[in-house]
Amino acid sequence: MNKDLIDNPALWRLGLIIGPGAIDVLAHRVVGEAPAIRGRLPYDASATSVAAAVEEAIYANPMLLLPFRTTGIALRAPQSIVVPAGSETDALNTLLGEDDDNILMTDTLDSRHDIIYTVNRGIHNFLSRTFEPRPHHVLGILGRYYSRPARRSNAARMYIEIADNLLEVLVLDNVGPKAAATFSCDTTDERAYYALSVFTSAGLDPHTDQIYIAGTSETRRDLCRQLSAFVAGVMPAILPAGLYRGDSTALASPLPLLLMPLCE
């Protein structure tokens, strides 16, 4: 990524999503106007570890190390659990697998709930010494944004993000989160299976409750088509009006990357 495109990093914001196979990047100017910079940095398959791959991808792109006005980082971490806010993590060590290779982290899901998840210890240590902000979980970002009073409705809502071979799923009603989970799946059939399984187990009504889907246009369309056979209200995720001044480059980024500045 070309750091010369950024004239004064103190006027820009950097957002990163650290995924299992790549880093998604979005940099945009928060003071004045300039085209957003979006990128995707796949990991080197020959790296000695995932942590080494993340480190190599960051250091290979000096733009990411500029002194930005603000930086936000989110993690895709499939092993997670929703708990009441402020819960102690000790009892969850065995359940989620904190050990020499992994560490437990906590993010806010809404005003009354946290999401506790495991992160590779090497990735955690690298991010801690390289970037100042504490990372978020992608579901924490979705939870904080969509649980705001202004976003509530009488219907329960399921929010789905398709991210490569992961499916991020969040279910909310007027009380709070009913489900939040990450599934590994490669096909539309698998995505539909997991989405409908969560929809049913959360007690949602296929006639009145709604599903919002984010992802690439193709994956979103295919999943919408399958789920529409079972649920009446299935539609693409709706972005806030005027987000990133309508910059098409920025708006092609993953949903949590777009919403992250609105939740910090």
Side-chain angles (χ1 to χ4, degrees), residues 18-251:
I18 312 296
I23 300 173
D24 287 293
V25 181
L26 176 60
H28 72 282
R29 212 173 199 270
V30 294
V31 179
E33 295 189 11
I37 301 170
R38 180 176 62 87
R40 184 169 174 81
L41 309 175
Y43 300 148
D44 184 348
S46 65
T48 57
S49 66
V50 177
V54 170
E55 186 169 346
E56 290 170 10
I58 297 290
Y59 283 136
N61 292 274
M63 186 197 88
L64 306 183
L65 301 173
L66 293 173
F68 287 92
R69 183 188 187 99
T70 58
T71 297
I73 300 173
L75 302 172
R76 297 198 185 277
Q79 288 185 298
S80 64
I81 188 169
V82 177
V83 298
S87 296
E88 295 292 333
T89 62
D90 292 346
L92 300 172
N93 287 348
T94 302
L95 177 63
L96 289 176
E98 178 165 283
D99 51 31
D100 291 342
D101 297 324
N102 298 288
I103 188 170
L104 290 186
M105 295 190 68
T106 303
D107 194 17
T108 301
L109 192 63
D110 72 353
S111 60
R112 295 185 297 172
H113 299 85
D114 292 338
I115 183 166
I116 298 178
Y117 58 101
T118 57
V119 180
N120 176 276
R121 194 177 293 271
I123 293 176
H124 172 268
N125 292 343
F126 169 71
L127 294 176
S128 297
R129 67 175 183 266
T130 307
F131 299 100
E132 182 175 334
R134 180 180 176 85
H136 305 288
H137 192 287
V138 291
L139 287 171
I141 294 171
L142 299 183
R144 290 194 299 280
Y145 180 76
Y146 287 115
S147 65
R148 292 174 177 175
R151 308 287 167 199
R152 295 175 184 170
S153 68
N154 291 329
R157 295 99 59 213
M158 170 183 279
Y159 298 96
I160 294 173
E161 188 212 2
I162 305 167
D164 296 327
N165 66 334
L166 295 180
L167 192 75
E168 309 284 0
V169 180
L170 173 70
V171 180
L172 299 171
D173 63 12
N174 284 333
V175 177
K178 295 176 71 69
T182 303
F183 301 97
S184 295
C185 43
D186 297 308
T187 67
T188 302
D189 287 345
E190 290 175 333
R191 294 172 189 131
Y193 169 81
Y194 285 117
L196 290 172
S197 177
V198 174
F199 191 94
T200 301
S201 63
L204 271 62
D205 187 328
H207 303 291
T208 59
D209 295 329
Q210 300 164 332
I211 299 178
Y212 296 89
I213 302 175
T216 66
S217 58
E218 181 178 356
T219 58
R220 186 178 63 235
R221 182 192 64 236
D222 292 346
L223 186 57
C224 278
R225 183 183 297 121
Q226 286 224 19
L227 294 181
S228 293
F230 305 95
V231 179
V234 180
M235 63 202 80
I238 301 171
L239 297 175
L243 189 66
Y244 296 94
R245 304 185 183 95
D247 186 316
S248 59
T249 297
L251 296 178

Side-chain angles (χ1 to χ4, degrees), residues 2-35:
N2 185 1
K3 68 176 184 178
D4 294 334
L5 294 174
I6 297 179
D7 52 351
N8 181 354
L11 304 179
W12 287 68
R13 184 188 189 281
L14 175 67
L16 304 174
I17 292 183
I18 312 296
I23 300 173
D24 287 293
V25 181
L26 176 60
H28 72 282
R29 212 173 199 270
V30 294
V31 179
E33 295 189 11

